[in-house]
Structure formats: C-alpha cells, structure tokens
Amino acid sequence: MSGMRTILTTWTLVGVVCIGYGFWAVVSPSEERKREILKNLPEANPVKMEETRRRNTLIMQALKEAAETKDNITRGTGPPK
C-alpha cells in the first residue's frame, strides 16, 4: 500500500507542476507583446530618461549633504534648538 501511495503522490506532484506550467504559458505575454512593453518603458524615451537621471542626481546630492552634516534633518529644516 505504501508503494501505491508513493506512486500516486508522485503523479499528483507531476500533474500539479504540469498544470502550473500550463497556466504560466497561457498567462505570459507573447514575444510581440514583450517587444511592445519594452518599447513603452521609460528607459526607451530619452526625455524621460534624462529627467530620471536629473532627479537621481538631486536625490544623491541631498543624501550626500545629509550624510555630511551633524544636524538631525528629520527634526526640521534648521539646526537643533
């Protein structure tokens, strides 16, 4: 009886994996859809990419200034009172 249970469990696991793979294949986008998604990413637009670079530069500058100061900037905009 133990052998039959092992075989049944194995085939059940194989079946579940196959069903999962089938669902994944149905839900995943086609190659054409993948190309369309990549075309519409912000990195594909030079204007948006430049804005992102500028924003990241400003954020990194603010973080660098915050790291170099001894003031606790989370309490307010000025030095502690």
Side-chain angles (χ1 to χ4, degrees):
M1 202 61 169
S2 177
M4 186 62 121
R5 184 179 300 165
T6 303
I7 293 171
L8 184 63
T9 303
T10 303
W11 280 110
T12 303
L13 274 173
V14 169
V16 168
V17 168
C18 289
I19 290 172
Y21 180 75
F23 282 147
W24 181 265
V26 168
V27 173
S28 65
S30 64
E31 287 298 320
E32 182 178 316
R33 178 72 177 131
K34 285 179 187 177
R35 275 188 244 115
E36 182 182 330
I37 289 171
L38 287 175
K39 185 177 79 173
N40 293 329
L41 284 176
E43 292 85 8
N45 186 344
V47 175
K48 281 192 173 188
M49 193 60 186
E50 186 58 35
E51 289 175 2
T52 302
R53 282 191 185 117
R54 227 176 309 125
R55 188 180 328 109
N56 287 345
T57 302
L58 291 172
I59 290 172
M60 290 305 291
Q61 181 182 1
L63 287 173
K64 183 179 178 184
E65 290 172 2
E68 291 173 348
T69 184
K70 291 190 181 230
D71 296 337
N72 186 351
I73 62 170
T74 60
R75 289 189 177 175
T77 56
K81 296 179 181 179

